[in-house]
Amino acid sequence: MSKGKLAKFAEMNTFSNVFQYPFSVIQSVPFTMKGHWREQYFGNPNPIVLELGCGKGEYTVGLAKLYPDVNFIGIDIKGARMWNGAKFALEQGLKNVAFLRTNIELIDRFFAPNEVQEIWLTFSDPQMKNARKRLTSTYFMERYRRFMVDGGIVHLKTDSNFLFTYTSYMVDGNTLPLLFRTDNLYQTDGLDAETSKILSIQTYYESMWIERGLNIKYQKFRLPHAGMLTEPDVDIPLDEYRSYHRSKRSSLETGR
């Protein structure tokens, strides 16, 4: 690990808005704030919204600034990246922001039933080879159900046609209530006020992808507690590009 990363990790240990519970820690140290985020950290009864795979926290912080009456928690395992958003939030005095460094596979260990109102998935890795690792898979939807309110909202914003298509099949195949869907967010007319609002938040890599001519895709849907979920059984063309900091595409032409 570089000296720069070590310095960031050391400084982040002092941040009051960061909680670090990777797999190696949560196995032996229980997370006592589960079910008590509002009382013990935020100090208000406002809704809680998660950003899973928050990276540098640009979206978490951007949303927090747009919606001061909502509590936002950015979650990722990459601490050196998270340091950026956490430090900026402290410098800006944002009281409605927290960061949780952990493995997303463990997410249900940190939130109690009905504790979370919405989830944002911003430019998640498409995981074209492994459906169980896709953050919009039914495997993760079942996890989200354990702590989201009934009918909580899931947002997906992505540059990946594979992930967008897969998620559309998952939503439609399970008849989840679709609230909005577009395969070209920045060229869609007649957006509602809430969707238009998010256009003001643009991450560094998102701007890079737009410059490369990639469409930014977006959809949001509700996740009811009732009903069995089934995985899409359909072949989906793999993405033909290689996004920044993503592994090279498979030699196969399609995936599920």
Side-chain angles (χ1 to χ4, degrees):
M1 188 179 293
S2 68
K3 290 183 179 179
K5 284 187 177 181
L6 288 172
K8 287 180 178 180
F9 273 108
E11 185 178 11
M12 204 162 65
N13 285 331
T14 70
F15 289 175
S16 60
N17 61 351
V18 174
F19 302 87
Q20 302 191 65
Y21 283 82
F23 185 81
S24 58
V25 173
I26 194 65
Q27 290 298 94
S28 56
V29 181
F31 186 73
T32 59
M33 205 160 61
K34 179 178 180 178
H36 303 285
W37 281 90
R38 291 181 178 86
E39 312 96 276
Q40 296 184 13
Y41 178 77
F42 293 110
N44 64 58
N46 296 336
I48 292 178
V49 177
L50 310 182
E51 184 193 4
L52 305 185
C54 68
K56 294 183 178 180
E58 297 157 287
Y59 228 81
T60 299
V61 171
L63 288 169
K65 294 175 74 173
L66 281 179
Y67 300 95
D69 294 328
V70 178
N71 300 317
F72 293 91
I73 304 173
I75 301 170
D76 208 310
I77 192 59
K78 303 289 187 180
R81 295 179 187 175
M82 181 181 289
W83 172 90
N84 294 275
K87 187 175 181 66
F88 183 79
L90 288 175
E91 291 174 345
Q92 294 290 306
L94 297 175
K95 303 298 184 183
N96 63 327
V97 179
F99 289 90
L100 174 63
R101 189 174 77 86
T102 193
N103 306 79
I104 294 178
E105 291 82 0
L106 306 176
I107 188 66
D108 52 311
R109 300 192 186 192
F110 298 91
F111 301 95
N114 300 308
E115 192 169 17
V116 172
Q117 277 65 42
E118 298 184 26
I119 286 177
W120 275 87
L121 305 171
T122 52
F123 304 101
S124 307
D125 190 321
Q127 296 289 349
M128 292 183 282
K129 296 182 181 180
N130 191 342
R132 284 184 174 269
K133 291 186 177 182
R134 289 175 209 147
L135 297 187
T136 58
S137 69
T138 58
Y139 307 107
F140 273 98
M141 292 298 144
E142 291 291 2
R143 281 194 178 94
Y144 305 155
R145 278 175 161 180
R146 297 171 192 169
F147 56 80
M148 290 189 78
V149 297
D150 190 12
I153 297 175
V154 178
H155 304 258
L156 171 69
K157 194 178 182 188
T158 182
D159 62 309
S160 167
N161 188 64
F162 179 90
L163 185 60
F164 182 78
T165 303
Y166 165 82
T167 304
S168 298
Y169 278 119
M170 189 281 297
V171 170
D172 297 346
N174 288 290
T175 62
L176 301 180
L178 179 67
L179 301 177
F180 184 77
R181 177 183 289 156
T182 176
D183 63 0
N184 195 348
L185 179 60
Y186 291 97
Q187 298 298 323
T188 299
D189 296 325
L191 297 177
D192 62 79
E194 289 302 305
T195 304
S196 296
K197 216 172 182 182
I198 68 172
L199 295 182
S200 65
I201 309 173
Q202 198 172 105
T203 68
Y204 172 76
Y205 288 119
E206 181 178 359
S207 66
M208 294 291 101
W209 294 325
I210 292 173
E211 286 181 10
R212 291 171 65 187
L214 298 178
N215 290 351
I216 303 302
K217 304 157 183 64
Y218 170 72
Q219 60 181 296
K220 60 179 175 179
F221 55 92
R222 294 192 179 276
L223 181 59
H225 287 174
M228 291 185 61
L229 299 176
T230 59
E231 273 293 293
D233 185 18
V234 59
D235 289 329
I236 303 169
L238 302 180
D239 293 335
E240 295 181 355
Y241 63 89
R242 180 174 178 174
S243 289
Y244 290 94
H245 298 302
R246 288 208 182 127
S247 57
K248 194 171 183 179
R249 60 162 287 182
S250 167
S251 59
L252 300 175
E253 293 301 317
T254 61
R256 294 190 176 190

